[in-house]
Amino acid sequence: MENAVWAEEPAFLSVGAGIYDVNDSETTAESRIEYRFSEANKLWHFTPFVGMMATAEGATYGYGGIGLEIFLGNRWILTPNLGVGLYGNGEGKDLGSSVEFRSGAELAYRFEDRSRLGLTFNHISNAGLDEPNPGTESVLLVYSMPFDKLFSD
């Protein structure tokens, strides 16, 4: 029965807010918006996503990637994820390159209407493509709403 529930996962629009550069010297606020594709658009077992993040210091990061949804029962979902994108530091932290890689994980609670509320942790770095390569970590509270609910009554 649970496999049938997983097979019906819709696309999501996710919004998040939290702390950027959480364990270093340039800590600031971060916001994020992300589109997560539906079960029907998975790449093998992986859920594609695209998104944009911005910090209070003007840093921006447009990215895409994949996540692997691991259902821990009916309500909890652990999603490790990997992505790549283009970063601009604005007045914020210089990550050493415009091409940056993101890795992380989200733990979310799934409500009856399929919306989710979760906590996500991500690391962004240029993976040694250029110097410097300071990297940064973010922690955000994320709310994911089924995309089709945005346009229904």
Side-chain angles (χ1 to χ4, degrees):
M1 177 104 160
E2 282 186 17
N3 286 339
V5 171
W6 299 343
E8 299 169 7
E9 284 304 286
F12 290 95
L13 182 65
S14 299
V15 293
I19 303 169
Y20 175 83
D21 207 36
V22 69
N23 63 347
D24 207 351
S25 62
E26 296 186 52
T27 302
T28 189
E30 177 182 332
S31 61
R32 183 181 301 171
I33 187 164
E34 199 169 275
Y35 179 81
R36 300 175 184 180
F37 291 81
S38 70
E39 186 77 27
N41 293 301
K42 281 197 172 189
L43 304 172
W44 192 46
H45 294 291
F46 300 98
T47 302
F49 60 83
V50 294
M52 181 73 176
M53 80 75 145
T55 72
E57 302 298 320
T60 56
Y61 182 54
Y63 58 89
I66 55 172
L68 178 64
E69 293 183 333
I70 302 167
F71 284 75
L72 307 171
N74 257 350
R75 295 286 179 207
W76 291 97
I77 304 160
L78 177 64
T79 309
N81 57 75
L82 297 169
V84 63
L86 296 176
Y87 177 82
N89 59 296
E91 297 297 316
K93 188 170 188 175
D94 182 0
L95 296 182
S97 175
S98 58
V99 175
E100 297 289 330
F101 299 89
R102 187 186 95 172
S103 59
E106 178 178 299
L107 180 63
Y109 181 83
R110 183 172 171 255
F111 296 99
E112 202 61 43
D113 68 354
R114 296 193 185 279
S115 65
R116 301 173 181 184
L117 182 64
L119 191 63
T120 189
F121 175 83
N122 294 112
H123 170 77
I124 299 174
S125 81
N126 68 39
L129 290 177
D130 207 348
E131 291 294 328
N133 182 22
T136 188
E137 286 75 32
S138 296
V139 176
L140 289 91
L141 186 64
V142 177
Y143 179 72
S144 300
M145 174 182 245
F147 194 74
D148 59 352
K149 292 205 187 274
L150 292 171
F151 307 105
S152 63
D153 295 333

